[in-house]
Amino acid sequence: LRAEARPLVVGAKPFTEQYVLSRIVAGQLERVAATPTTTLESLGSTVVFDGLRSGEIDVYVDYVGTLRAVLLGRTDAPGSRAEALEEVREALARDGMTVAAALGFENTYVLALPRAQAEALGLARIGDLAGHAAGWTIGGDYELFHRPEWQGLTATYGLRFAEQRSMDPSLLYEAARTGEVQVIAAYSTDGRLDAYDLTPLVDDRAALPPYDALVLAGPRLVADHPDALTALQALAGRIDAAAMRRMNAAVDRDGQSPAAVAAAFLAELAQ
Ligand code: PBE
């Protein structure tokens, strides 16, 4: 079998933005580079990165802060956005991987709560939670409470919640609405922050790293598929935070499929 005969494998983590972006990546590879693809979905951050490094996965989207903390084991605060990206780039290159494109937005964790509650209690910054956390439950995805960033965040602000509840990220917003949890660790590009009228609390001590979204290419794609790499590079800077939030909302609020949202994006990109 020639190397080109195996389709390129596109990976995705288990949330809406990843479903949309993996289809954008796959569509771009098929349309521009005429490369067949298959998709492996719903993988955790560690599994999908290990898959990229070992060659089981050829391309997926990850975030600078995630790569730096979870995969490179860095827990200190990065000097700047550019430095964090550079550290990640160098570490990837050592293992034959490359950053094909920075998409143009970041998706950070953001602590948020219903606006009425935030206003009633006068909460605007993460530090303002200090007097409430001991009696509150916080909801988060399946990774956050085990991640170095959570240790850093809670240490920086001296927060200890009564309970940390992990759940599918798509359930967080409803849990905040019903009061099952008092605060959630949402994603900043999620369309439901607005749809559910949630107030994001400001990380004024910069406890969280930057989370710029990167299209990562694995060793086999880098070595054997120059056309595919060029096709991915064309995505650089093409999605800002507002555009990503709109695409996420089209799925989560309006019920469109990730495939339809990706197709509409690619049609516009091709013009
Ligand atoms: N994030 C925030 C997480 C999920 C949302 C992008 C930092 C991640 O996948 O690493």
Side-chain angles (χ1 to χ4, degrees), residues 15 58 94 137 158 185 195 210 244 247 253:
F15 54 96
D58 296 300
R94 282 198 290 274
T137 298
M244 193 66 244
M247 291 196 280
R253 192 192 58 204

Side-chain angles (χ1 to χ4, degrees), residues 25 66 98 102 128:
V25 163
T66 306
T98 197
D128 297 337

Side-chain angles (χ1 to χ4, degrees), residues 12-71:
K13 305 198 232 184
F15 54 96
T16 300
E17 176 167 298
Q18 289 272 321
Y19 302 144
V20 172
L21 293 175
S22 61
R23 282 165 181 79
I24 287 176
V25 163
Q28 181 74 353
L29 289 173
E30 293 181 358
R31 187 176 61 81
V32 177
T35 312
T37 64
T38 57
T39 301
L40 269 182
E41 248 172 28
S42 291
L43 309 168
S45 290
T46 314
V47 171
V48 68
F49 181 76
D50 287 347
L52 188 82
R53 182 160 45 193
S54 71
E56 283 160 73
I57 290 166
D58 296 300
V59 50
Y60 83 102
V61 174
D62 215 333
Y63 307 89
V64 170
T66 306
L67 291 161
R68 194 175 179 278
V70 180
L71 310 166

Side-chain angles (χ1 to χ4, degrees), residues 13 15 45 62-63 66 107-109 141 143 147 187 211:
K13 305 198 232 184
F15 54 96
S45 290
D62 215 333
Y63 307 89
T66 306
N107 177 8
T108 182
Y109 283 110
D141 63 26
E143 294 187 6
R147 285 171 59 152
Y187 301 166
Y211 285 99

Side-chain angles (χ1 to χ4, degrees), residues 65-137:
T66 306
L67 291 161
R68 194 175 179 278
V70 180
L71 310 166
L72 305 182
R74 297 285 299 264
T75 51
D76 54 319
S80 70
R81 189 170 224 101
E83 266 176 60
L85 175 57
E86 215 31 58
E87 287 163 359
V88 164
R89 249 188 229 287
E90 281 170 21
L92 291 167
R94 282 198 290 274
D95 281 336
M97 296 170 277
T98 197
V99 176
L103 288 171
F105 70 92
E106 85 164 321
N107 177 8
T108 182
Y109 283 110
V110 53
L111 301 197
L113 75 169
R115 194 224 304 247
Q117 180 80 332
E119 283 178 359
L121 299 173
L123 307 182
R125 296 170 303 178
I126 295 176
D128 297 337
L129 290 172
H132 303 278
W136 280 7
T137 298

Side-chain angles (χ1 to χ4, degrees), residues 136-151:
W136 280 7
T137 298
I138 181 168
D141 63 26
Y142 288 115
E143 294 187 6
L144 176 63
F145 301 126
H146 310 288
R147 285 171 59 152
E149 301 107 298
W150 180 247
Q151 309 310 323

